Amino acid sequence: MLAAVMHTAFFLLLGASVARFLLRHPGSPNTPWIIALSAALALLYVLGPALGAAPTLRRLIWLGLVVAAWVVLVVLAPSFAWCAVPLFYTALRTLPPRAAIVLVALLTVFVVAAQLKLSHGFDPNLLLAPPAIAALATAVFVHMERQAQAQRDLIDDLIRTRRELAATERREGTLAERQRLSMEIHDTLAQHLSSQQMLLQAADRVWDGDPATARAHVRTATGIAARGLAEARRLVHDLAPPELAGGAGLADALRALDAGPDIDVRFHLEGTPAPLPERVQSALLRVAQGALANVREHAHARTAALTLSFLGDQVVLDVADDGDGFTEPRAPRGGDRGHGLPAMRARVGQLGGTLTIESTAGEGTVLSAAIPLEHRP
């Protein structure tokens, strides 16, 4: 906002200075030079934003040319001195603080000299006003820059803290889930297996002398094995994604996914939906979550599209984004957390499916997971 105001002010002051010179000095031999230098200064000033704000060599050369053109104009027509105010801002944005303040001071001295040249006598306002304006402009700019930097630092701290909290919550959640599973396994499967072992060992000891007792032990062990199998199935069911709990379908779970506040995620359903095995639904949901995590962390995309297609003999999930893309498919950093391409391929491959990736640098990425519906792992 401030940059737009300063740029507008510069061109208004430059145009007013040209108009003033033409009105006050009609037919002056310096008129062609004034018009040519004004046009050159305006052109140079327009080229400035294309060079960026960093103090590169090209940017420094550009600033030197702008100041030089302005100095020559002020020498020929002192009324151009007031164009220095936007130049203060340009110098403060381009140069390091100390160098910028030195340049602002030199420009201010030049403005004072030009104004005194225009006056018909000594005027204290002409001597004090330009330094006061320069000091005020410099103070305002420095204050705003410090506030902006403080805000950027605060935002960086908040982002870093949020990531640390998220990582801590993931670790705590993982540890809690491991503890829960270990307790479940100890209290159910481990106890069942221990009982089966004891019964089968007892049956082995009395097999020749008391076959009836041995068969009774085997029947009891069989019953315990059946209960253990039921417990194992319950544990596997509990490990299914919570997004699919309560009878929610895969389409609804995909429609509810997001990739963060800066990415627009859209869902499309094609074909006639068919009942899918739980493992297929879980695998496709995990692939979608991993793909969106990669989009969020690596693609710098603005939109992502999830398309679930039922093609009769197979179900296909496509995840497309408009991000940076890459030349060759590769697992991005962070793949060890389960979001990498190898993990996705493993999930899909276990169900007899395939994972393909099409990507071009600068044109986004399309990830496609296809799983045959007749496959029953």
Side-chain angles (χ1 to χ4, degrees):
M1 182 63 182
L2 181 60
V5 172
M6 286 298 175
H7 295 334
T8 303
F10 175 81
F11 288 108
L12 288 176
L13 290 171
L14 183 62
S17 298
V18 173
R20 184 181 187 278
F21 179 83
L22 295 177
L23 292 173
R24 294 290 183 89
H25 306 281
S28 172
N30 290 332
T31 298
W33 289 103
I34 294 296
I35 295 176
L37 284 171
S38 298
L41 181 58
L43 179 61
L44 284 170
Y45 197 86
V46 168
L47 295 176
L51 301 177
T56 59
L57 179 59
R58 289 192 306 171
R59 178 77 175 178
L60 296 177
I61 293 174
W62 168 82
L63 179 61
L65 292 174
V66 169
V67 172
W70 173 79
V71 168
V72 175
L73 271 173
V74 174
V75 170
L76 295 176
S79 59
F80 282 86
W82 287 109
C83 294
V85 176
L87 293 183
F88 294 163
Y89 169 77
T90 303
L92 290 167
R93 285 194 64 195
T94 304
L95 299 175
R98 292 184 178 180
I101 292 174
V102 171
L103 180 57
V104 168
L106 293 175
L107 295 178
T108 304
V109 171
F110 203 75
V111 169
V112 171
Q115 293 301 304
L116 291 175
K117 182 179 178 181
L118 281 176
S119 65
H120 300 291
F122 178 75
D123 188 345
N125 286 333
L126 298 179
L127 184 63
L128 299 177
I133 294 174
L136 179 61
T138 302
V140 170
F141 179 85
V142 171
H143 178 68
M144 293 181 61
E145 280 295 301
R146 288 177 178 174
Q147 281 191 325
Q149 185 60 47
Q151 187 178 30
R152 288 192 292 267
D153 294 341
L154 178 59
I155 292 174
D156 291 341
D157 289 340
L158 290 175
I159 293 175
R160 182 168 56 253
T161 301
R162 185 176 65 180
R163 289 176 178 172
E164 291 174 355
L165 287 175
T168 301
E169 290 177 356
R170 284 195 299 268
R171 287 194 297 269
E172 291 178 350
T174 301
L175 292 175
E177 184 64 14
R178 287 179 179 176
Q179 184 178 9
R180 185 188 72 83
L181 287 176
S182 66
M183 294 174 61
E184 289 277 356
I185 292 173
H186 177 270
D187 294 340
T188 56
L189 297 181
Q191 296 295 334
H192 292 156
L193 290 173
S194 177
S195 298
Q196 291 175 53
Q197 183 183 31
M198 293 175 59
L199 287 168
L200 292 176
Q201 288 175 346
D204 183 64
R205 287 194 298 268
V206 300
W207 191 266
D208 295 329
D210 191 356
T213 301
R215 285 193 291 272
H217 289 331
V218 171
R219 286 194 295 270
T220 304
T222 303
I224 294 175
R227 291 195 297 273
L229 179 59
E231 289 290 346
R233 287 172 175 169
R234 183 184 65 82
L235 288 174
V236 171
H237 183 270
D238 289 344
L239 290 175
E243 294 86 350
L244 298 173
L250 177 60
D252 292 334
L254 293 174
R255 189 177 286 109
L257 293 179
D258 68 85
D262 298 327
I263 302 176
D264 182 22
V265 179
R266 303 165 185 171
F267 174 75
H268 307 279
L269 180 63
E270 296 183 359
T272 303
L276 298 176
E278 290 184 2
R279 289 196 63 189
V280 173
Q281 295 187 62
S282 177
L284 290 177
L285 178 61
R286 294 307 190 201
V287 167
Q289 290 172 328
L292 289 180
N294 287 338
V295 171
R296 179 178 61 251
E297 297 176 11
H298 306 288
H300 304 103
R302 291 178 296 179
T303 61
L306 300 176
T307 304
L308 182 64
S309 304
F310 290 86
L311 305 179
D313 60 344
Q314 66 176 351
V315 58
V316 180
L317 173 66
D318 296 317
V319 183
D321 67 77
D322 60 353
D324 295 342
F326 46 82
T327 303
E328 297 180 1
R330 61 185 184 278
R333 286 177 287 182
D336 57 344
R337 294 183 315 213
H339 298 313
L341 299 179
M344 298 182 201
R345 285 198 175 93
R347 285 185 185 277
V348 176
Q350 289 172 357
L351 299 172
T354 57
L355 184 78
T356 58
I357 301 166
E358 297 179 4
S359 182
T360 303
E363 297 183 8
T365 302
V366 178
L367 180 146
S368 180
I371 298 178
L373 290 181
E374 70 274 12
H375 182 76
R376 293 295 183 270

